[in-house]
Amino acid sequence: MAAYIEGLLVEISGLEEPIEELRSLQTAVLAIPLNTLGETVSGLRLQALFSLLNTNDSEQIELCVAILGRILQVLEPVHLAQNFREELQRGLNHPSDSVKTLALDQIRRMVEHSEAVTKIANSHEVLKQVLQCIGVEKVSVANEAIKALSKLAQTKAGLDALFMSDLVQDLKDAMTRNDVIRYRVYELIVGISSVSPVSLGYCANSSFLSQLIGELTGNDILVRATSVEMVTTLTHSQHGRQYLAQQGIIDKISNMIIGAESDPLSGLYLPGLVKFFGNLAVVDSPQQICECYPAFIKKVFEMAEGQDPIMTGVALDTLGILGSNVEGKQVLQKTGEKFQNLLKRMSQLARNATTELRVRCLEAIALLLTLPAEQQTEDLLGMTESWFNSFSNQPLELFKNISCQPFPELHCSALKVFTAIASQAWGQKMMIDTPGFVEYIVDRSAQPDKESKDAKYEIVNTLVNSKSTAGIFGNQQYLRLRTYLREGPYYVKAVSSVAVEDAE
């Protein structure tokens, strides 16, 4: 096969119209498994294929891209850097987006390799071309460029190549072209900053981060909203949070929430501000965040009680995040009557809102009620039980009715509520005391879709693995659950049939 492919490459190099031969070559390389293709093509000269990209014939270009993409992916990154760097560099400047993507994909492979990355970091012109790809119209090409540069910046050599040269000015010049490119560069900078304190230092010293932070209070509302999303990404790392605190950004965003009350256009950026603090609370201390920035939790409650479905959705997501750990649950409980009223509001939303809001509401309820076995103190169990009873006079029936409605996404979200309470003794007592409930959760035919079967299986799995279930359910029902668990979520009982021939 190697000789056949090599013969096709030689033949192609001398043809003016090589389409048929390229089709044959594509068939040949696709026929060879990837694990053996590397040995087959390792010694072949591919320059002829690269040269055939210099055409206006779109079919010829796409055939070459497909063939090169298949072959190059099995070659070692160091081999690519040593033998095809110039060809890939020319590909970055090719008018075809598919050729650009091919080149960027291979460059990303090289910068991910411990040896090949140095060769790319030292190739100033290659990096310059990659930077220019951030500004192309095709989003997928720009994303590939951002991905490659982000990987490059995970090394000291890559950081120096990007930030200790005139490439910094190239990035800044690109940002002045339009808002889209500016925010692509911000995306790159925030991604690099999130890797380590060192990489954040490079970005800060080059003034990119201070420029991004300045956008938070700009006159353009849409730019402000996008900036909040970018800054929120920095909360995912400890060094990012430290930087934001040191720069006074957390206080600034808290003040923006307060100021939003008098801004008629705040609906465009307020959800982002709330998400910022929600992310901060989940990775930091919910109690500390809510105590230091009371405007945040106050606004979440207002949004949840309001009539704007976008605001309500964000508030529900945030409540779920806050209530996903014990400290957050206690923070919510301390608000007293406000939270009790909010639980009643969530009950209404779970029954009567749009399907999307109902799903988000049920997901939030499941997170609020979840209490791992090691955290099940008497006080906390009493708290989650009181929350559950706040939803309805018959909360188990409420969620069961929702889980039976003809919307698969509602099924699974409602079933997650049952999983949340299945590990808690009060939830188990409620289940066994409700006629027909055990039969419902072990009935595989009630919901035919896979997701619902999996969700029911998770309820049973949680019950079986709880130490209190056997004592509360009794031996007969507990064995029934164990049998269901052993058979699995998709078990179908075999039914034998006997044909009886009528006697004459």
Side-chain angles (χ1 to χ4, degrees):
M1 184 62 81
Y4 174 67
I5 291 174
E6 186 174 9
L8 281 174
L9 286 171
V10 171
E11 185 178 355
I12 285 169
S13 64
L15 296 175
E16 290 185 8
E17 296 184 1
I19 295 296
E20 288 303 321
E21 288 73 14
L22 284 171
R23 289 173 182 160
S24 298
L25 181 56
Q26 181 185 29
T27 301
V29 297
L30 288 173
I32 305 173
L34 283 175
N35 57 352
T36 58
L37 182 60
E39 298 175 7
T40 306
V41 301
S42 60
L44 298 179
R45 295 177 61 81
L46 303 176
Q47 281 73 14
L49 271 178
F50 279 106
S51 66
L52 289 176
L53 292 169
N54 300 320
T55 179
N56 293 322
D57 188 322
S58 60
E59 184 181 4
Q60 180 173 316
I61 290 172
E62 294 309 314
L63 281 167
C64 289
V65 167
I67 296 165
L68 284 167
R70 179 80 173 174
I71 292 174
L72 295 179
Q73 69 176 312
V74 299
L75 299 178
E76 286 296 321
V78 172
H79 181 78
L80 293 177
Q82 290 172 341
N83 296 280
F84 302 112
R85 192 169 59 212
E86 291 182 5
E87 286 82 358
L88 292 172
Q89 181 182 336
R90 286 196 294 272
L92 294 172
N93 202 34
H94 197 281
S96 168
D97 290 328
S98 61
V99 178
K100 287 188 178 78
T101 301
L102 169 70
L104 288 166
D105 188 46
Q106 299 309 315
I107 288 169
R108 178 188 52 76
R109 288 184 62 223
M110 286 186 269
V111 299
E112 288 175 340
H113 191 274
S114 57
E115 292 181 41
V117 64
T118 306
K119 298 183 181 299
I120 297 300
N122 292 333
S123 301
H124 186 78
E125 288 305 313
V126 171
L127 295 181
K128 204 175 185 71
Q129 294 287 341
V130 175
L131 287 179
Q132 289 179 5
C133 287
I134 294 178
V136 301
E137 184 177 351
K138 187 82 169 180
V139 176
S140 60
V141 174
N143 287 341
E144 285 297 322
I146 291 170
K147 197 183 300 182
L149 291 171
S150 297
K151 291 291 184 182
L152 174 69
Q154 292 182 15
T155 66
K156 176 69 164 57
L159 285 169
D160 287 341
L162 286 174
F163 294 101
M164 305 299 286
S165 69
D166 60 357
L167 294 177
V168 168
Q169 192 56 49
D170 288 347
L171 276 173
K172 291 181 178 179
D173 290 343
M175 294 172 76
T176 63
R177 287 167 55 188
N178 58 54
D179 289 346
V180 171
I181 297 173
R182 186 160 88 256
Y183 278 92
R184 286 176 183 173
V185 174
Y186 282 145
E187 181 184 343
L188 170 65
I189 294 300
V190 168
I192 292 172
S193 298
S194 300
V195 173
S196 70
V198 172
S199 60
L200 186 145
Y202 275 85
C203 296
N205 292 336
S206 301
S207 75
F208 287 110
L209 289 179
S210 59
Q211 185 175 343
L212 170 60
I213 289 165
E215 307 267 20
L216 288 173
T217 52
N219 294 325
D220 190 319
I221 300 298
L222 294 178
V223 168
R224 193 183 302 178
T226 309
S227 303
V228 173
E229 290 183 20
M230 295 285 182
V231 172
T232 298
T233 306
L234 291 174
T235 65
H236 298 163
S237 64
Q238 185 177 358
H239 61 272
R241 296 192 296 275
Q242 288 176 343
Y243 174 81
L244 293 174
Q246 289 166 359
Q247 300 297 314
I249 306 310
I250 301 176
D251 291 331
K252 179 179 287 189
I253 292 178
S254 177
N255 290 332
M256 288 173 69
I257 289 178
I258 297 170
E261 295 181 5
S262 59
D263 185 353
L265 297 176
S266 64
L268 295 171
Y269 62 85
L270 187 55
L273 301 180
V274 171
K275 287 179 184 178
F276 172 86
F277 276 105
N279 277 273
L280 205 57
V282 78
V283 295
D284 215 325
S285 162
Q287 182 175 341
Q288 183 178 345
I289 294 301
C290 292
E291 287 180 355
C292 293
Y293 306 99
F296 158 59
I297 193 68
K298 178 186 176 185
K299 183 57 66 176
V300 171
F301 277 55
E302 288 177 3
M303 289 165 62
E305 296 282 3
Q307 300 303 312
D308 185 328
I310 295 176
M311 297 292 189
T312 302
V314 172
L316 291 170
D317 296 343
T318 306
L319 287 166
I321 290 171
L322 274 176
S324 63
N325 62 44
V326 167
E327 186 178 321
K329 294 184 202 304
Q330 291 170 328
V331 167
L332 293 170
Q333 178 73 351
K334 285 179 183 177
T335 63
E337 187 179 350
K338 289 182 181 178
F339 187 60
Q340 289 301 316
N341 291 336
L342 189 55
L343 291 173
K344 291 181 174 63
R345 165 70 169 158
M346 293 176 77
S347 174
Q348 294 170 357
L349 291 170
R351 284 177 288 186
N352 304 319
T354 61
T355 300
E356 181 194 352
L357 266 186
R358 294 175 76 188
V359 168
R360 292 168 81 172
C361 185
L362 291 165
E363 297 281 339
I365 289 170
L367 288 170
L368 287 169
L369 295 172
T370 298
L371 193 62
E374 64 274 12
Q375 296 174 332
Q376 291 182 9
T377 65
E378 186 177 342
D379 287 346
L380 290 174
L381 285 168
M383 182 181 72
T384 54
E385 183 179 8
S386 71
W387 289 1
F388 190 69
N389 287 324
S390 297
F391 293 121
S392 167
N393 292 330
Q394 294 182 307
L396 209 66
E397 284 298 324
L398 165 67
F399 293 110
K400 181 185 173 185
N401 289 338
I402 294 173
S403 73
C404 292
Q405 293 177 15
F407 303 100
E409 59 270 42
L410 282 177
H411 297 169
C412 297
S413 297
L415 292 172
K416 284 180 183 178
V417 175
F418 296 139
T419 302
I421 67 171
S423 67
Q424 302 173 58
W426 63 262
Q428 295 163 7
K429 289 174 185 174
M430 197 174 287
M431 289 178 179
I432 198 65
D433 290 342
T434 301
F437 186 80
V438 176
E439 287 72 15
Y440 167 69
I441 61 173
V442 297
D443 182 4
R444 296 179 179 87
S445 64
Q447 281 97 12
D449 58 289
K450 177 182 181 299
E451 292 77 11
S452 296
K453 290 179 186 293
D454 289 340
K456 278 192 170 182
Y457 183 82
E458 190 58 35
I459 299 170
V460 177
N461 185 48
T462 302
L463 286 168
V464 170
N465 286 292
S466 171
K467 293 179 180 178
S468 57
T469 303
I472 293 172
F473 272 55
N475 288 336
Q476 184 178 353
Q477 293 287 22
Y478 183 65
L479 287 174
R480 187 179 186 183
L481 295 177
R482 292 193 62 174
T483 301
Y484 177 97
L485 195 67
R486 185 178 65 252
E487 292 171 345
Y490 317 118
Y491 174 78
V492 178
K493 189 175 181 179
V495 179
S496 60
S497 59
V498 178
V500 178
E501 188 175 317
D502 289 334
E504 297 204 356

